Amino acid sequence: TVNAASVEIAGAFEGRPERAFTLDFYANREADASGFGEGRQYLGSTTVNTGVDGRATFNVTFNAIALGRWLTATATDAWSMCSLIVIV
C-alpha cells in the first residue's frame, strides 16, 4: 500500500526452519530484465523468525516512495548468507 506519507509492505517469507532472517527492502524505477530486480533506493529492513515449517509473515511501513516503483527485497541469515534480489 502506497500513500502520500508511507509505503506498507506485507507478505510471507519461506526459509530454513526456526531461523532469524533480515529482510532488506528497496524501490526501483523499473523492473530488471533478469526478473530479480535491483536495489537502487534502500527503504529499510525488518527481522523475521521462521517457525518449524520455515515460514514467517511480515508487515512493515517505510517512508513514502514515488508511485509506480518496483519493490525488491533480499533475505540474509545470521551467517550472512544472502538471497538473490527478488521482486516483491
Side-chain angles (χ1 to χ4, degrees):
T1 306
V2 177
N3 62 45
S6 63
V7 58
E8 180 182 2
I9 305 168
F13 171 80
E14 285 190 33
R16 294 186 66 130
E18 300 181 318
R19 301 279 171 96
F21 292 85
T22 299
L23 306 181
D24 290 296
F25 296 89
Y26 303 87
N28 304 279
R29 291 180 189 216
E30 56 192 38
D32 188 83
S34 71
F36 291 106
E38 296 182 17
R40 297 230 178 227
Q41 177 187 354
Y42 181 70
L43 299 176
S45 67
T46 192
T47 300
V48 297
N49 294 293
T50 57
V52 295
D53 61 356
R55 296 178 185 204
T57 59
F58 60 89
N59 189 320
V60 294
T61 302
F62 302 115
N63 291 332
I65 59 172
L67 291 175
R69 297 286 195 234
W70 290 85
L71 299 178
T72 56
T74 61
T76 307
D77 66 14
W79 297 274
S80 297
M81 299 296 294
C82 186
S83 70
L84 294 172
I85 294 180
V86 295
I87 297 173
V88 293

